[in-house]
Amino acid sequence: TPTISAEDSVTTSINGTSDAITVNVGDLSYVKVTDSAGGVEVGSPTITTDGSLTLYASGYDAYGNYRSLESVTWVAGGDFDGSDLSSGSGTSTIFQPNNTGTGTVTADHATATDDSTGTITVNPGEIDHLEVTTTLVGNAIAGVGFDVTVTVYDAENNVKTDFAGAQYVDWEISGANSSPNGDQPTLPSDGDMSFTAGVATYSGMVLVNGTDSVSINAIVSTKTDASPPVVDADPASADYFTVVTSGSGVEKAGVNFAVTVTVYDIYGNLVDHGANDYDGVHTINFTSNATASPGGNSPVIPSSVSLTFSGGTATTVVGTDPFTLYNASETPTISAEDSVTTSINGTSDAITVNV
């Protein structure tokens, strides 16, 4: 409320001053996006997805005098949209981003000059949860390595790209067993892992038991994966046979018997499922070191038999492909070999031939 004074230029004692003058605000000319009603114009702040900004549309006359808050249409741009604003219209709104990125918020007035914030930068919020993934497509194969990746997220499911460097990882792995032959799986150990932009990878996890169902989880900064992956393991490719007679290695001279062939991988897993499943029809070649009896009776060993494997095992039929030993003075063996992949083979234990 200024005053105006007047004074005679010659006789300065002759003077006077007006009463206080009320200066009314002019007509609305423009709006500014401010941090409060008539407050500081919002520039280019940096926040996280855990934070927010309350924005006001302050109206001014052409001379920069604050008039009042003005109702505007709020528009988020750049990497942001209407879902990041508490309200799309009104005298204020809350910018509460659910994603990272950069952008602006504009106050769009119907008649006055509009205004926008400076570039707002939104970084990830605090760690909220993890995601553990593998490079597997389908089941693991015994003996074949795969990678396990840990990705860190904030509460809005944004990857924490600012999470980097050596970070301690506590692994929670259950269901990974040694193989039937005693081989141990290769698993990640608790300790520091190097994160880049919120991601760290352990390379070379190896399972060896073809019947395993393995849960893989991790803890980073007390956070974990609520739904960790479960990896089922299948056997490796067929590696060897076991050969057992129907009498479990004790047979009577001159009496026909059957032979059971069972297929295993290098770890001792039964090869009865998965990508390497051996079940089905295979031609098996048989040989033996058995000799003729003192009376001249030669052993009967079928040279080649078509067997149908089921559950990793197959048994010859006595009526069509009998095995017969005659010499009770020896303990022979019987060998079986896949006719196509001859490296898949096996030999029975010594067979006792009773009189």
Side-chain angles (χ1 to χ4, degrees):
T1 53
T3 59
I4 298 176
S5 298
E7 177 186 82
D8 185 289
S9 65
V10 176
T11 308
T12 57
S13 60
I14 304 171
N15 56 61
T17 299
S18 70
D19 292 333
I21 303 168
T22 298
V23 182
N24 290 328
V25 177
D27 294 335
L28 177 65
S29 176
Y30 61 89
V31 294
K32 286 184 179 180
V33 180
T34 58
D35 63 358
S36 61
V40 178
E41 189 170 14
V42 176
S44 299
T46 296
I47 64 172
T48 72
T49 54
D50 297 330
S52 63
L53 294 172
T54 301
L55 307 175
Y56 297 84
S58 296
Y60 296 84
D61 65 14
Y63 309 104
N65 296 301
Y66 172 68
R67 285 175 48 87
S68 62
L69 292 176
E70 298 291 333
S71 184
V72 298
T73 298
W74 295 99
V75 180
D79 294 321
F80 311 112
D81 57 26
S83 67
D84 298 303
L85 300 174
S86 64
S87 175
S89 62
T91 58
S92 67
T93 192
I94 301 173
F95 176 66
Q96 44 195 17
N98 52 34
N99 60 280
T100 59
T102 58
T104 60
V105 178
T106 298
D108 182 6
H109 192 276
T111 58
T113 301
D114 303 333
D115 187 40
S116 298
T117 65
T119 298
I120 302 172
T121 300
V122 179
N123 292 325
E126 295 300 314
I127 297 176
D128 181 75
H129 63 278
L130 313 179
E131 183 180 33
V132 179
T133 57
T134 75
T135 52
L136 291 170
V137 178
N139 292 353
I141 302 296
V144 178
F146 58 92
D147 295 347
V148 181
T149 296
V150 178
T151 305
V152 180
Y153 292 86
D154 66 14
E156 301 293 342
N157 216 36
N158 299 294
V159 176
K160 265 193 70 63
T161 53
D162 55 352
F163 192 79
Q167 306 289 342
Y168 192 86
V169 179
D170 182 9
W171 291 96
E172 291 190 329
I173 299 174
S174 61
N177 299 299
S178 59
S179 75
N181 284 351
D183 302 281
Q184 297 299 312
T186 302
L187 307 175
S189 300
D190 297 344
D192 284 345
M193 292 186 69
S194 180
F195 280 78
T196 301
V199 179
T201 297
Y202 173 82
S203 297
M205 182 168 174
V206 180
L207 302 179
V208 291
N209 191 306
T211 62
D212 276 353
S213 185
V214 182
S215 174
I216 307 172
N217 209 342
I219 300 174
V220 178
S221 298
T222 74
K223 307 302 181 182
T224 190
D225 188 337
S227 300
V230 175
V231 174
D232 292 328
D234 291 336
S237 58
D239 182 70
Y240 66 91
F241 291 142
T242 59
V243 181
V244 180
T245 68
S246 55
S248 299
V250 178
E251 303 299 335
K252 187 173 183 178
V255 177
N256 298 341
F257 59 89
V259 169
T260 296
V261 179
T262 305
V263 61
Y264 296 90
D265 69 9
I266 193 172
Y267 301 103
N269 296 300
L270 198 62
V271 188
D272 62 347
H273 65 280
N276 295 310
D277 189 358
Y278 193 80
D279 285 351
V281 178
H282 296 270
T283 299
I284 306 301
N285 297 331
F286 289 97
T287 57
S288 177
N289 60 357
T291 63
S293 70
N297 300 93
S298 297
V300 177
I301 306 294
S303 61
S304 179
V305 180
S306 179
L307 294 179
T308 299
F309 283 76
S310 177
T313 190
T315 300
T316 63
V317 178
V318 173
T320 56
D321 297 292
F323 288 73
T324 313
L325 300 175
Y326 291 97
N327 192 341
S329 66
E330 63 182 4
T331 53
T333 58
I334 296 174
S335 296
E337 175 186 87
D338 185 290
S339 65
V340 176
T341 308
T342 57
S343 60
I344 305 171
N345 57 63
T347 299
S348 71
D349 291 336
I351 302 167
T352 298
V353 182
N354 289 330
V355 175

